[in-house]
Amino acid sequence: MAAEARDRFGIGWRPDLGAGILAHLDRIDIVEIIADDYFDAPAPKLSALRMLGAQVLLTLHGIGLGMASTVSADTKRMGQMARLYERIRPESWSEHFAFVRGGGVEIGHLAAPPRNRTTVDATAENLSRATAAVGVKPVMENIATLIDPPGSELDEASWLSALLNASGGKLLLDLHNVHANAVNFGFDAIAFLDRLPLDNVGAIHLAGGKWIPAGDSGHRLLDDHLHDVPDPVYALLEHVAARTSNPLTVILERDGNYPPMLDLLTQLDRAREAVERGRTAV
Amino acid sequence: MNPFDLRGPDFLVVYAAFTMALLFGLSLLRKAREGTAPTTLPPISDPYAIAYLRGGQKAMLEVAALSLVERGLLEVNDGTLITAGRHEAKLATNPLDKAILQFFQFQGKAFTMYQDTRFQAVSAGMEERLRQDALVPDLAIQEARSREFGIAVLVLGGVAAIKVIIALERGRHNVGFLIACAVMACAFAYKMSFPRITKRGEQWLKDLGTLMTPLKRRAGAAKKDLSWREASMVAAVFGLTAMRASSYPYVGQMFPAPDTSSSTSSSCGSSSSCGSSSSCGSSCGGGGGGCGGCGS
């Protein structure tokens, strides 16, 4: 079976890449917008975003709700997400299985919570509230972590499966996060993927990272979104495409150290080829 | 109080306020009719359509020339242009690219293409395409604009005429300034009533500018970062003045800025990027592309 037309390939909108994306909309099916950047945006920026939405499919990506937490997700931000969703009318929205604050303190990045039944139930509750606020269930993303979360009773695959089961939602599978966690914690990424309910995968993130020193233990792979997508991530994409008949929305994320736009488009083409190979292998 | 009983200077203040209110009303009417809703818009990715909407045929030709140079299909030699290869014109698929490559099969100055009739057909096609997208006015919009302008002239002229008649009846003959004001008010009304593009078109360009501002910065920072498409888009949205001379030196050679002492239609003057900065404005006279230098 050849790569199906319903598979879509897009890129994350970043101000520095914006017009490069506009200049190549013939090679981009969907654009992912960081929702939090537009919560307080002035009217001209929202108007420009609506105009972009009239040209290409948009999906909103939240980073600040803190869904995977025993603390209730930020109500104010939920309201902002709901208003932005209403104004932009994207085709979907997503958030992370992560916590970003605790005890009133903002952590400033996406942190992995303890993987246990308590966080599964609390996350499902937060997801339920977010779905009610926005009106649409978010697609939820797995995160990368440099530490094994203390207080965990489940491994990551079991925890993610339990979360998806409890919430009834779709997974935004970040394959570089899978790759980084596999490398850093010494597990097999393919075996990990095979334990996930891949038919629940709605979207996929691709990114790159770099090796950083980690004390005496050698090196760790940091998911920094500043480097090209490495070969093993394309192999994981091919594996997922081979094991699900779901339409896949594949988004390339790049947060800085921007190469020429054509390099990013080449990476998107490699993703297309990987999905096509995976579909053909079925 | 009857405003027509006001003394001359006081009446002029009231007339000026009345004129502004009427022009504002005209603007609101146009906005309501011509719409700004971003639905079924033409593709963003076509720099020639964007350039045409922004500055007409001249802007479209300039962006096309830049695009062809960036692609290596057109060469710049000491300010003149020549098609890079004998067969390039035959291979081009875009009608504008083809026409320009044919035009410059014999070396010539860039500005000579502005008046050439062969580009008028391409422009007419572009105009029609933008008209179908309601980005430039169609016949119905033009008729509505004419109607509103006629009413505005009747009102502005009528009010001034009544005051003039009253003044003359009262033996005052210093009405020249009021008549001049009425003519100016009608001229403003004309300018507001008949812009080249629709409100929808204005909004389209404004949104594009908002989306592309970061790339405009990069246009001057590192040329290698921009593909020819990106460079064309920047030029289309912001004009050639957004292309920094250090990165795109040939732009200034192709389209040197006109002598400001003899012309008021400078390409710099028409560019929002130039106009937004006083230091930019001062460097425009040095040649096309010079404005980019103020971005650093």
Side-chain angles (χ1 to χ4, degrees), chain B residues 47-95:
Chain B
Y48 297 168
I50 296 165
Y52 188 89
L53 188 67
R54 178 179 55 78
Q57 175 176 293
K58 180 170 176 282
M60 181 176 71
L61 290 174
E62 289 172 351
V63 170
L66 175 131
S67 171
L68 290 165
V69 172
E70 284 293 295
R71 281 181 274 170
L73 300 175
L74 203 58
E75 290 175 354
V76 186
N77 292 325
D78 197 22
T80 60
L81 294 174
I82 186 163
T83 301
R86 286 171 53 203
H87 304 296
E88 302 295 4
K90 289 178 187 164
L91 296 175
T93 52
N94 181 290

Side-chain angles (χ1 to χ4, degrees), chain B residues 216-217 220 241-246 268 271-284 289-296:
Chain B
K216 184 187 170 191
R217 280 203 308 272
T241 51
M243 316 310 288
R244 189 170 298 187
S246 58
C268 273
S271 161
S272 59
S273 63
C274 253
S276 64
S277 160
S278 58
S279 61
C280 258
S282 64
S283 64
C284 279
C291 284
C294 66
S296 59

Side-chain angles (χ1 to χ4, degrees), chain A residues 156-172:
Chain A
E156 188 182 1
S158 303
W159 185 69
L160 286 173
S161 299
L163 283 167
L164 294 172
N165 192 40
S167 64
K170 293 273 186 186
L171 180 64
L172 195 177

Side-chain angles (χ1 to χ4, degrees), chain A residues 141-164:
Chain A
E141 179 177 356
N142 59 302
I143 67 164
T145 178
L146 291 172
I147 59 162
D148 208 3
S152 296
E153 298 160 358
L154 303 168
D155 60 34
E156 188 182 1
S158 303
W159 185 69
L160 286 173
S161 299
L163 283 167
L164 294 172

